[in-house]
Amino acid sequence: MAALMLAGAGIMTAAGTAQAAEVSYKTECLPPPISGLPPIQGTTKVAVSAPGTAKVGEEIEVVWKTIEGASKNPDILDLGENTVQPTGTIKVAGAQTGDLAMQGPRENPPIPKGGAMKLSDMKGKLKLTKPGEVTLTPGFYNINVNRPISTDTKCSPKETVQPGVTIKVTDGGGGSGGTTGGSTTGGTTTGTTGGTTGGSAGTASGGGTDGGTTSGSSGGTASGGTGGSGGDPDGTAYKGKEVNVPYACKTPIGDKKATSPVQINAVKKGGSYDLTVKFRKSVMDSPADIPKDSVKPSMDVKVGGADKGSVKVEGPTNAEPIKSGQPIEIPDLKGTYKPSATGKATLTPGVLTVNALGTTTTCTPEKDPGVSLALDTSAQQGGTSGGATGGDSGGAAASGGSAAGPASVSGGSSGGLAETGAGDHGALTALGLVAGTVILLGGAVFTFLPRRRARVR
């Protein structure tokens, strides 16, 4: 039977039983810049649940239930069913420290203008590494709406938040791992996301979780998200900063330009890192039917700092046909980075290539967008080499599989943390017309959103 534990009261449940506690805290929510709305002050009420007792080496599930959000749906437009996805960060403290990424599915009833936001429950997996008392404290959270364009409302605590749950961890023989994040729910994308506005939304102000940790990652800094040391255990997840990449694309229908927010995340696997590159731009409706398996996107991630070279990451082709009028989403791109140098290596979004129905579109950053993720690496035999494109045969080759480890990142919808809305340079629409044939270019062809459609939540 679940037992209630009041924050800070130290009332523990019997071994292994789940416990839940409600926490309230003053919150400031930043609406998407395109809305023109001022910051919103409110109160967030969250119920955090987790086992009351556990052993070192165990991986437990943590659930964040939003009882009341600090902001409502603005009086701009009604939100459709299953258009809202929450993500957030729980601060892990005590015997073990870190940031636990939380994510919920994109599931919600229709929400009218001015109505209360109905957020799905967020979940995350925590690997316990040290004996003692471990506290879980809710904090920053992000509300993404993916239609008619992708926008984010970023909510940050404005006071010290009390822990929601205390877990008594006993020595169970040890085990590697650490604070990891985001279990997959309903096919949504997971991974560490802590601080999505300070770190993941490159154009929005405010937000982000405070404090960096040894096992987590601290996004939103000028130099990009920072990973842990090369000695971190397998499965440790690192969150990158979302950076705005100004792309100039050579497409079958001419030159196109647009700016797209891109984020690079990593999960440690041996001496290498499984990378996931996330495009955070809005999706548009398809003007015509698109056949399945028509589009294959890839990117060369630039490696800098102590290491040099590039890593190829690839996304899957569209698994299902896309009907006219249906939204188009850009898949996550995945690959493996094998360091060739010891020190702080940086990862920056690079050239994007999209193969579609026999055509190739190449999008090159017009300027350096800045580092998305920095990792403290240890040199591996056969690691990256300078100037490699798409990874060399020594180990920076692309990997189509999902990242391994407790914070593995799975495929699915590209929704999630750190999306920034329409932007000033237009929306990434992934559409083209070539010789009368509609071609989905998976993010390579850009068109501009009309100003009259720009005022959204």
Side-chain angles (χ1 to χ4, degrees):
M1 178 181 294
L4 176 68
M5 186 191 80
L6 299 178
I11 302 174
M12 302 304 297
T13 64
T17 13
Q19 54 178 326
E22 184 177 316
V23 180
S24 298
Y25 53 95
K26 295 179 181 178
T27 309
E28 180 180 73
C29 293
L30 301 177
I34 195 172
S35 71
L37 297 175
I40 299 169
Q41 310 298 322
T43 299
T44 299
K45 295 182 180 179
V46 174
V48 179
S49 60
T53 60
K55 294 181 179 180
V56 171
E58 290 184 346
E59 186 178 76
I60 63 170
E61 181 177 74
V62 180
V63 179
W64 169 324
K65 183 178 182 64
T66 303
I67 299 173
E68 181 180 321
S71 66
K72 295 184 177 181
N73 181 25
D75 295 323
I76 297 176
L77 53 79
D78 297 332
L79 300 180
E81 184 179 8
N82 299 335
T83 59
V84 179
Q85 182 176 39
T87 51
T89 302
I90 282 182
K91 182 69 65 176
V92 181
Q96 178 178 340
T97 60
D99 288 332
L100 177 61
M102 306 293 291
Q103 179 164 297
R106 196 178 293 278
E107 296 177 356
N108 63 277
I111 303 174
K113 293 187 288 289
M117 296 299 293
K118 302 295 184 181
L119 305 180
S120 62
D121 291 353
M122 295 184 280
K123 296 181 180 181
K125 296 288 188 179
L126 176 64
K127 186 72 172 288
L128 300 172
T129 60
K130 295 180 180 179
E133 290 191 347
V134 175
T135 61
L136 304 178
T137 304
F140 168 86
Y141 60 98
N142 183 77
I143 303 171
N144 173 257
V145 177
N146 68 347
R147 296 181 194 174
I149 63 171
S150 182
T151 61
D152 288 272
T153 298
K154 311 166 194 310
C155 301
S156 301
K158 301 306 290 182
E159 65 177 340
T160 300
V161 184
Q162 295 300 312
V165 166
T166 300
I167 307 167
K168 186 175 182 180
V169 182
T170 57
D171 194 347
S176 62
T179 301
T180 63
S183 62
T184 54
T185 313
T188 55
T189 309
T190 69
T192 50
T193 56
T196 49
T197 58
S200 55
T203 59
S205 61
T209 54
D210 55 355
T213 65
T214 56
S215 61
S217 59
S218 56
T221 61
S223 58
T226 302
S229 69
D232 284 343
D234 279 6
T236 302
Y238 311 101
K239 175 196 59 66
K241 173 188 176 182
E242 187 172 274
V243 295
N244 289 314
V245 185
Y247 278 117
C249 297
K250 298 290 184 181
T251 82
I253 59 173
D255 295 346
K256 303 288 181 180
K257 291 186 179 182
T259 296
S260 179
V262 179
Q263 183 183 30
I264 301 175
N265 297 323
V267 175
K268 188 171 183 183
K269 185 178 181 181
S272 300
Y273 299 86
D274 285 330
L275 304 183
T276 299
V277 177
K278 305 175 74 65
F279 276 78
R280 303 292 191 175
K281 207 57 175 176
S282 63
V283 296
M284 300 288 287
D285 292 343
S286 174
D289 291 347
I290 303 296
K292 64 180 295 187
D293 297 325
S294 301
V295 181
K296 180 71 173 178
S298 63
M299 175 191 282
D300 291 327
V301 175
K302 181 181 177 182
V303 181
D307 204 356
K308 305 296 179 185
S310 62
V311 180
K312 187 174 184 179
V313 292
E314 296 180 327
T317 58
N318 52 310
E320 300 293 336
I322 303 173
K323 297 294 184 181
S324 177
Q326 287 184 339
I328 299 171
E329 297 187 356
I330 303 166
D332 292 348
L333 310 180
K334 298 181 180 181
T336 300
Y337 165 48
K338 189 174 185 180
S340 64
T342 298
K344 188 174 292 294
T346 60
L347 301 177
T348 303
V351 176
L352 172 69
T353 302
V354 178
N355 295 314
L357 296 178
T359 69
T360 299
T361 293
T362 303
C363 298
T364 304
E366 291 189 295
K367 64 178 182 179
D368 185 358
V371 173
S372 174
L373 181 63
L375 296 169
D376 291 327
T377 61
S378 297
Q380 305 294 311
Q381 185 175 3
T384 58
S385 60
T389 300
D392 63 272
S393 60
S399 170
S402 63
S408 62
V409 182
S410 67
S413 68
S414 62
L417 290 182
E419 302 183 19
T420 61
D424 294 332
H425 297 281
L428 181 61
T429 65
L431 294 176
L433 293 174
V434 181
T437 302
V438 179
I439 297 179
L440 169 64
L441 295 180
V445 177
F446 303 86
T447 61
F448 290 83
L449 282 174
R451 288 289 181 183
R452 62 184 176 85
R453 295 186 61 194
R455 188 171 181 81
V456 296
R457 192 195 155 290

